[in-house]
Amino acid sequence: TATDDNGNVGKTKEYEVVVYGDVNGDGVIKATDYVRIKNYIMGNSSLSGVYMEAADINKDGNVKATDYVKIKNHIMGTGNISQ
């Protein structure tokens, strides 16, 4: 809960912000995110919630090689990830 300037008590709200390509949630798109998508596609790890949503870079409802390539291109400076 939170109190405003008049002493009124209210509830706080929490929000989750998804940055497409930021698969580990650290606020930066980098090689660790690329590796997380690769490991997910190879079946070596799992993703869920906002991390799964962040990995679906092309927003087609699936995390596949196309997302992997998009993040690789972004990191290499040859592509952009639309937010």
Side-chain angles (χ1 to χ4, degrees), residues 37-72:
I37 290 177
K38 182 187 97 168
N39 287 338
Y40 174 79
I41 292 169
M42 300 296 290
N44 296 326
S45 66
S46 63
L47 294 171
S48 62
V50 294
Y51 305 106
M52 177 69 94
E53 190 173 349
D56 183 16
I57 296 166
N58 66 0
K59 304 172 190 121
D60 69 351
N62 300 294
V63 176
K64 295 185 175 178
T66 51
D67 302 297
Y68 177 75
V69 170
K70 282 188 171 285
I71 196 168
K72 179 187 75 110

Side-chain angles (χ1 to χ4, degrees), residues 16-27:
E16 293 178 329
V17 175
V18 174
V19 176
Y20 291 97
D22 179 20
V23 185
N24 66 358
D26 68 354

Side-chain angles (χ1 to χ4, degrees), residues 68-82:
Y68 177 75
V69 170
K70 282 188 171 285
I71 196 168
K72 179 187 75 110
N73 290 343
H74 177 82
I75 292 167
M76 299 297 291
T78 59
N80 292 311
I81 297 175
S82 298

